[in-house]
Amino acid sequence: SQQGEEDPQALSIQEGENATMNCSYKTSINNLQWYRQNSGRGLVHLILIRSNEREKHSGRLRVTLDTSKKSSSLLITASRAADTASYFCARRPGGTSYGKLTFGQGTILTVHP
Amino acid sequence: GAVVSQHPSWVICKSGTSVKIECRSLDFQATTMFWYRQFPKQSLMLMATSNEGSKATYEQGVEKDKFLINHASLTLSTLTVTSAHPEDSSFYICKKHSRGNTNTGELFFGEGSRLTVL
């Protein structure tokens, strides 16, 4: 699939635990981005990581990128009930115009209070 | 604050009618708009890319005569679902990008429009 894969498809954890979501892709990329989507709502941009970067942090979020394995992971530490949402990775394939993104299938995260 | 305004947020229409969704850039000009569609419990799929002053580019499998895109000004792009049918029920999201904002690649999404065709 051009979209790539995300796993797990669904993740259920308790508040305070860490949540890790993975994203794999098949083609070369310029950058990879992670988004959050609350049920029935629009997208919230979380982090962008460029192809020459290996790790980025933003608050409780940590994103890693391994271009040799064509994979990325999103770690949410000390999760909260408010983190419950769907999380998508999206990449800008190499050679494509700015702004054109290909999304993964997404991970549905449920954080229980 | 929001930099992209998309409306309507919700629309319910009868089968066979046409529905127009607007996506407006609130801060700087958007020479390019991307339109995505998201079916329930699925991911976002790019439908088309609209460029100000020129014809939109449609992704494979997207009917250009059914999904009319107009980008007549630098701040407004519209998507019209013509002769809508129940299978067109979906969440439509626009996303803007400007040549002046290529540094971070951060892209701006509208809030989305949920279309339900009865």
Side-chain angles (χ1 to χ4, degrees):
Chain A
S1 164
Q2 289 289 332
Q3 290 187 293
E5 303 293 327
E6 283 189 60
D7 73 272
Q9 292 186 348
L11 180 60
S12 182
I13 60 175
Q14 295 295 129
E15 237 179 0
E17 295 179 340
N18 295 340
T20 300
M21 289 158 270
N22 303 295
C23 170
S24 64
Y25 54 92
K26 296 180 179 179
T27 60
S28 65
I29 61 171
N30 282 295
N31 63 58
L32 188 143
Q33 304 173 37
W34 284 89
Y35 288 86
R36 183 184 72 221
Q37 184 181 36
N38 293 329
S39 180
R41 302 292 298 277
L43 295 173
V44 175
H45 181 269
L46 298 177
I47 290 184
L48 178 150
I49 186 165
R50 294 185 176 81
S51 58
N52 61 352
E53 297 176 312
R54 292 296 167 259
E55 188 171 310
K56 285 190 82 169
H57 296 79
S58 176
R60 294 184 295 113
L61 307 180
R62 182 172 76 98
V63 167
T64 62
L65 178 64
D66 187 335
T67 53
S68 65
K69 295 181 179 179
K70 291 186 168 58
S71 67
S72 175
S73 68
L74 169 66
L75 168 67
I76 304 175
T77 60
S79 64
R80 305 167 182 167
D83 294 329
T84 295
S86 293
Y87 292 82
F88 295 93
C89 68
R91 64 195 185 280
R92 180 161 80 88
T96 59
S97 61
Y98 282 107
K100 190 171 184 178
L101 296 179
T102 300
F103 283 81
Q105 290 296 320
T107 295
I108 301 172
L109 172 65
T110 303
V111 181
H112 301 281
Chain B
V3 296
V4 177
S5 173
Q6 182 176 348
H7 70 90
S9 299
W10 297 81
V11 58
I12 300 174
C13 69
K14 293 182 179 180
S15 184
T17 59
S18 295
V19 175
K20 179 186 286 188
I21 299 169
E22 293 187 350
C23 187
R24 192 177 298 274
S25 174
L26 300 180
D27 55 357
F28 51 86
Q29 298 168 345
T31 54
T32 301
M33 286 283 198
F34 301 92
W35 286 94
Y36 287 81
R37 176 171 56 185
Q38 184 182 32
F39 291 111
K41 300 188 185 303
Q42 294 188 26
S43 188
L44 284 77
M45 294 292 291
L46 180 65
M47 298 175 65
T49 303
S50 77
N51 297 293
E52 186 269 334
S54 63
K55 290 184 179 180
T57 303
Y58 291 82
E59 297 300 303
Q60 191 174 9
V62 178
E63 300 175 58
K64 63 180 181 180
D65 294 330
K66 182 169 183 60
F67 298 99
L68 301 180
I69 291 175
N70 183 283
H71 196 153
S73 79
L74 285 169
T75 59
L76 178 65
S77 176
T78 62
L79 168 68
T80 301
V81 183
T82 62
S83 188
H85 288 92
E87 57 265 31
D88 298 323
S89 297
S90 186
F91 192 56
Y92 293 88
I93 311 175
C94 65
K95 176 167 59 69
K96 80 168 188 179
H97 196 78
S98 166
R99 291 196 189 104
N101 186 30
T102 59
N103 186 29
T104 65
E106 187 164 314
L107 306 165
F108 303 98
F109 283 88
E111 278 296 308
S113 301
R114 184 163 302 283
L115 170 64
T116 301
V117 184
L118 302 176

